[in-house]
Amino acid sequence: MTGQEHMITHTGPLWLPPPELLPARLAELSDAAARPGPTPRGPAVRPPDGRDADYDAYFGIARTSRAPAYTLVHALRASAADVLSRSGQTGEQALRAALAACGVTAPPPPGARSDAPLARWRSGHRLFFTLTQAAVVALRDATAEGARRHPFPAGTRAAAELLRACAVAMQLTASFTPVDYETLVRPSMTTGDRTEDGFSGLWSADHRALVDELRRWGSAHARTCPAGCPSQRELSASLDRVHSAHHGVCARFVGRGPSLLGGHDDALATLTRLTAARRRLLRPRAPAEGPRI
């Protein structure tokens, strides 16, 4: 049994499309949400990169090429309901607003579920990945053909809303003690059936797709609005929220220690460099500025 099969057997898979098959318009998500569609199911498509496959396996993600819009809408509803069942009303407003930006109405959360640290860690990440995919769709919508003079504001606002929810999801994901992280969560990411050494969020294919779309948005915006505008500032502020949430989780659990990828650099220093690089994606022609955490 592979690592992916093991995780799917014990937690049930969250089906997501491979990022390259994600829709290019938000209307495809709202259309899928408005009418019944196929239930996501296999066969699972194994990511070609071993690191991506390890990452998906740990969090119980299964990839399917069938009906990408329906698959993502189903994942948005399911992952939001799962996290809300563990968190109550904490973060509910932000999550519902993010789903509404995609034309999706969140279902009532099921009854209270186990709030064990590992369960929360995995369910929160699954929501984060799903919101990330939706943000990719929104950014593609903003820079779709026809946006010749400026990225479409509606798609940009939706992306900002989804990124704000990503920050909330990250905070909810880590709502347990540093002792729980050190004794339960961190060891779980270094054991089991792995094909690659180490473990990192940089292994996420969805994260890489988001970076590509942020770069595309920044390039399109720089050609038409080099001085910046409210859309750019809103999107940048939402991205800063995600980075601040990530920095807070890292500071709480890892501090100046190394990441699971190892090396001599401390995790916070690495994250600070990545934060500055991600911010520059939205203003590629702007003067370099120090990181704001």
Side-chain angles (χ1 to χ4, degrees), residues 73-112:
V73 165
H74 185 275
L76 283 165
R77 288 176 174 146
S79 59
D82 185 35
V83 166
L84 290 174
S85 72
R86 304 175 196 278
S87 306
Q89 295 182 334
T90 304
E92 180 178 4
Q93 183 176 356
L95 296 182
R96 291 188 180 277
L99 267 60
C102 303
V104 177
T105 301

Side-chain angles (χ1 to χ4, degrees), residues 174-205:
S175 299
F176 47 80
T177 70
V179 172
D180 287 331
Y181 179 83
E182 192 63 32
T183 60
L184 296 173
V185 175
R186 189 177 176 99
S188 75
M189 293 185 285
T190 60
T191 58
D193 187 4
R194 297 278 191 277
T195 62
E196 305 286 338
D197 293 332
F199 198 77
S200 171
L202 295 177
W203 293 3
S204 168

Side-chain angles (χ1 to χ4, degrees), residues 13 44 65 73 87 105 130 187 206 213 263:
S65 59
V73 165
S87 306
T105 301
T130 307
D206 302 315
E213 296 305 325

Side-chain angles (χ1 to χ4, degrees), residues 61-74:
I61 301 297
R63 304 283 176 171
T64 178
S65 59
R66 297 182 177 181
Y70 281 107
T71 297
L72 180 52
V73 165
H74 185 275

Side-chain angles (χ1 to χ4, degrees), residues 131-143:
L131 292 168
T132 296
Q133 285 209 338
V136 167
V137 176
L139 289 166
R140 288 179 178 175
D141 191 290
T143 57

